[in-house]
mmCIF file of all heavy atoms in Angstrom:
data_model
loop_
_atom_site.group_PDB
_atom_site.id
_atom_site.type_symbol
_atom_site.label_atom_id
_atom_site.label_comp_id
_atom_site.label_asym_id
_atom_site.label_seq_id
_atom_site.Cartn_x
_atom_site.Cartn_y
_atom_site.Cartn_z
ATOM 1 N N PRO A 101 115.530 27.013 21.818
ATOM 2 C CA PRO A 101 116.825 27.002 21.133
ATOM 3 C C PRO A 101 118.006 27.475 21.982
ATOM 4 O O PRO A 101 119.145 27.203 21.653
ATOM 5 C CB PRO A 101 116.615 27.960 19.947
ATOM 6 C CG PRO A 101 115.449 28.793 20.333
ATOM 7 C CD PRO A 101 114.621 28.031 21.300
ATOM 8 N N VAL A 102 117.729 28.149 23.096
ATOM 9 C CA VAL A 102 118.860 28.586 23.957
ATOM 10 C C VAL A 102 119.215 27.511 24.936
ATOM 11 O O VAL A 102 120.369 27.063 25.028
ATOM 12 C CB VAL A 102 118.492 29.903 24.693
ATOM 13 C CG1 VAL A 102 119.652 30.342 25.583
ATOM 14 C CG2 VAL A 102 118.158 30.993 23.678
ATOM 15 N N ALA A 103 118.214 27.017 25.696
ATOM 16 C CA ALA A 103 118.506 25.924 26.618
ATOM 17 C C ALA A 103 118.731 24.621 25.842
ATOM 18 O O ALA A 103 119.247 23.655 26.405
ATOM 19 C CB ALA A 103 117.343 25.761 27.608
ATOM 20 N N GLN A 104 118.329 24.596 24.573
ATOM 21 C CA GLN A 104 118.479 23.404 23.709
ATOM 22 C C GLN A 104 117.791 22.180 24.311
ATOM 23 O O GLN A 104 118.383 21.134 24.525
ATOM 24 C CB GLN A 104 119.944 23.127 23.421
ATOM 25 C CG GLN A 104 120.638 24.318 22.714
ATOM 26 C CD GLN A 104 122.002 24.010 22.169
ATOM 27 O OE1 GLN A 104 122.727 23.181 22.701
ATOM 28 N NE2 GLN A 104 122.396 24.710 21.115
ATOM 29 N N VAL A 105 116.494 22.364 24.588
ATOM 30 C CA VAL A 105 115.672 21.249 25.045
ATOM 31 C C VAL A 105 114.351 21.241 24.297
ATOM 32 O O VAL A 105 113.877 22.276 23.831
ATOM 33 C CB VAL A 105 115.360 21.301 26.573
ATOM 34 C CG1 VAL A 105 116.610 21.241 27.413
ATOM 35 C CG2 VAL A 105 114.554 22.558 26.917
ATOM 36 N N ALA A 106 113.760 20.055 24.183
ATOM 37 C CA ALA A 106 112.405 19.895 23.672
ATOM 38 C C ALA A 106 111.566 19.251 24.779
ATOM 39 O O ALA A 106 112.062 18.334 25.439
ATOM 40 C CB ALA A 106 112.396 19.023 22.438
ATOM 41 N N VAL A 107 110.343 19.734 24.924
ATOM 42 C CA VAL A 107 109.427 19.129 25.870
ATOM 43 C C VAL A 107 108.255 18.592 25.060
ATOM 44 O O VAL A 107 107.579 19.345 24.353
ATOM 45 C CB VAL A 107 108.935 20.169 26.907
ATOM 46 C CG1 VAL A 107 108.018 19.508 27.920
ATOM 47 C CG2 VAL A 107 110.104 20.854 27.588
ATOM 48 N N VAL A 108 108.020 17.284 25.136
ATOM 49 C CA VAL A 108 107.017 16.643 24.280
ATOM 50 C C VAL A 108 106.189 15.627 25.032
ATOM 51 O O VAL A 108 106.629 15.100 26.053
ATOM 52 C CB VAL A 108 107.689 15.930 23.064
ATOM 53 C CG1 VAL A 108 108.461 16.918 22.210
ATOM 54 C CG2 VAL A 108 108.588 14.789 23.536
ATOM 55 N N GLU A 109 105.002 15.361 24.508
ATOM 56 C CA GLU A 109 104.256 14.178 24.965
ATOM 57 C C GLU A 109 104.870 12.947 24.315
ATOM 58 O O GLU A 109 105.388 13.000 23.201
ATOM 59 C CB GLU A 109 102.779 14.327 24.611
ATOM 60 C CG GLU A 109 102.054 15.377 25.480
ATOM 61 C CD GLU A 109 100.570 15.450 25.227
ATOM 62 O OE1 GLU A 109 100.150 15.421 24.048
ATOM 63 O OE2 GLU A 109 99.824 15.530 26.222
ATOM 64 N N ALA A 110 104.739 11.808 25.002
ATOM 65 C CA ALA A 110 105.540 10.643 24.611
ATOM 66 C C ALA A 110 105.041 9.931 23.391
ATOM 67 O O ALA A 110 105.738 9.097 22.808
ATOM 68 C CB ALA A 110 105.620 9.653 25.771
ATOM 69 N N GLY A 111 103.820 10.267 22.912
ATOM 70 C CA GLY A 111 103.286 9.581 21.730
ATOM 71 C C GLY A 111 103.777 10.145 20.411
ATOM 72 O O GLY A 111 103.518 9.575 19.363
ATOM 73 N N ILE A 112 104.497 11.241 20.452
ATOM 74 C CA ILE A 112 105.004 11.845 19.215
ATOM 75 C C ILE A 112 106.031 10.922 18.569
ATOM 76 O O ILE A 112 106.767 10.233 19.278
ATOM 77 C CB ILE A 112 105.615 13.235 19.489
ATOM 78 C CG1 ILE A 112 105.920 13.965 18.196
ATOM 79 C CG2 ILE A 112 106.855 13.087 20.351
ATOM 80 C CD1 ILE A 112 106.433 15.395 18.403
ATOM 81 N N THR A 113 106.068 10.919 17.238
ATOM 82 C CA THR A 113 107.079 10.067 16.591
ATOM 83 C C THR A 113 108.443 10.735 16.643
ATOM 84 O O THR A 113 108.552 11.955 16.754
ATOM 85 C CB THR A 113 106.761 9.791 15.099
ATOM 86 O OG1 THR A 113 106.810 11.037 14.393
ATOM 87 C CG2 THR A 113 105.403 9.147 14.937
ATOM 88 N N LEU A 114 109.439 9.908 16.556
ATOM 89 C CA LEU A 114 110.824 10.390 16.533
ATOM 90 C C LEU A 114 111.019 11.343 15.379
ATOM 91 O O LEU A 114 111.625 12.421 15.556
ATOM 92 C CB LEU A 114 111.754 9.164 16.394
ATOM 93 C CG LEU A 114 113.250 9.402 16.301
ATOM 94 C CD1 LEU A 114 113.766 10.244 17.441
ATOM 95 C CD2 LEU A 114 113.958 8.051 16.255
ATOM 96 N N GLU A 115 110.457 11.033 14.242
ATOM 97 C CA GLU A 115 110.645 11.884 13.073
ATOM 98 C C GLU A 115 109.970 13.247 13.247
ATOM 99 O O GLU A 115 110.546 14.284 12.889
ATOM 100 C CB GLU A 115 110.088 11.200 11.802
ATOM 101 C CG GLU A 115 110.413 11.907 10.527
ATOM 102 C CD GLU A 115 110.090 11.046 9.314
ATOM 103 O OE1 GLU A 115 108.922 10.585 9.181
ATOM 104 O OE2 GLU A 115 110.982 10.810 8.527
ATOM 105 N N ALA A 116 108.790 13.261 13.816
ATOM 106 C CA ALA A 116 108.104 14.550 14.040
ATOM 107 C C ALA A 116 108.908 15.416 14.980
ATOM 108 O O ALA A 116 109.027 16.644 14.788
ATOM 109 C CB ALA A 116 106.697 14.293 14.601
ATOM 110 N N LEU A 117 109.498 14.808 15.991
ATOM 111 C CA LEU A 117 110.340 15.564 16.906
ATOM 112 C C LEU A 117 111.589 16.078 16.205
ATOM 113 O O LEU A 117 111.975 17.234 16.341
ATOM 114 C CB LEU A 117 110.720 14.687 18.114
ATOM 115 C CG LEU A 117 111.589 15.226 19.235
ATOM 116 C CD1 LEU A 117 113.061 15.000 18.986
ATOM 117 C CD2 LEU A 117 111.368 16.711 19.546
ATOM 118 N N GLN A 118 112.218 15.199 15.417
ATOM 119 C CA GLN A 118 113.424 15.602 14.681
ATOM 120 C C GLN A 118 113.106 16.790 13.753
ATOM 121 O O GLN A 118 113.891 17.742 13.692
ATOM 122 C CB GLN A 118 113.938 14.446 13.826
ATOM 123 C CG GLN A 118 114.629 13.350 14.591
ATOM 124 C CD GLN A 118 115.069 12.195 13.685
ATOM 125 O OE1 GLN A 118 114.591 12.075 12.558
ATOM 126 N NE2 GLN A 118 115.945 11.338 14.185
ATOM 127 N N ASN A 119 111.985 16.727 13.055
ATOM 128 C CA ASN A 119 111.628 17.793 12.137
ATOM 129 C C ASN A 119 111.356 19.097 12.856
ATOM 130 O O ASN A 119 111.775 20.174 12.426
ATOM 131 C CB ASN A 119 110.400 17.403 11.304
ATOM 132 C CG ASN A 119 110.735 16.294 10.323
ATOM 133 O OD1 ASN A 119 111.928 16.055 10.023
ATOM 134 N ND2 ASN A 119 109.717 15.605 9.838
#
Side-chain angles (χ1 to χ4, degrees):
Chain A
V102 179
Q104 300 191 331
V105 298
V107 183
V108 299
E109 288 185 316
I112 190 175
T113 65
L114 177 54
E115 189 168 55
L117 180 270
Q118 285 178 344
N119 291 342

